[in-house]
Amino acid sequence: MTENNSKPKFEDFITFYEKAVLPLQKENIGLIRLDGQLKGDTRVTFAYFDYEGKTWRVNADTHIDRLKIAYDEFVKGNDPFQIKYLRDNRKAYLAIKGQPVRNAKLYIYA
């Protein structure tokens, strides 16, 4: 028997936040990151969502407070994300407008 290790995919960021992040946070009140760790990096995928015609991968080391900032802006009717590119211009990632690039703690890649 094989295990199904596929990660959930959501139609948009709001659905991702409401169906994946909020329940996780309610179960674990003190959670800082999606993976439950306090530090260290990981390339483990937590979930996927669609945005601007692309599917975006959310790494498990993303901080929940950064996702909350983006969610609150979406609820207000603002688009909090801007698409940026890594130095080699091959891989796109999402950043929150107005947030510092360094130490962003938001790891969402196309």
Side-chain angles (χ1 to χ4, degrees):
M1 182 189 276
T2 60
E3 285 185 45
N4 182 2
N5 290 330
S6 63
K7 303 298 179 182
K9 182 174 181 247
F10 299 93
E11 62 192 47
D12 58 30
F13 179 80
I14 290 176
T15 306
F16 156 72
Y17 189 84
E18 291 175 348
K19 294 194 176 188
V21 179
L22 283 179
L24 178 68
Q25 198 172 23
K26 284 180 184 175
E27 290 174 14
N28 306 288
I29 296 285
L31 209 61
I32 294 171
R33 295 179 2 170
L34 296 172
D35 63 3
Q37 302 298 314
L38 296 176
K39 61 182 181 177
D41 62 345
T42 181
R43 292 181 191 231
V44 174
T45 300
F46 180 77
Y48 298 90
F49 67 88
D50 290 335
Y51 172 76
E52 296 282 320
K54 292 182 180 182
T55 298
W56 297 85
R57 175 178 49 90
V58 181
N59 282 6
D61 55 348
T62 295
H63 283 233
I64 294 172
D65 64 337
R66 298 314 197 274
L67 297 171
K68 174 89 169 104
I69 290 169
Y71 176 76
D72 289 344
E73 286 301 310
F74 269 120
V75 169
K76 291 178 193 173
N78 302 322
D79 184 349
F81 292 131
Q82 69 183 95
I83 299 172
K84 293 190 172 188
Y85 293 88
L86 297 176
R87 288 184 205 155
D88 62 5
N89 283 332
R90 285 197 230 169
K91 197 167 200 174
Y93 69 96
L94 292 179
I96 297 174
K97 296 173 187 170
Q99 293 285 308
V101 174
R102 191 174 184 115
N103 204 20
K105 299 177 182 174
L106 184 74
Y107 308 108
I108 304 174
Y109 302 96

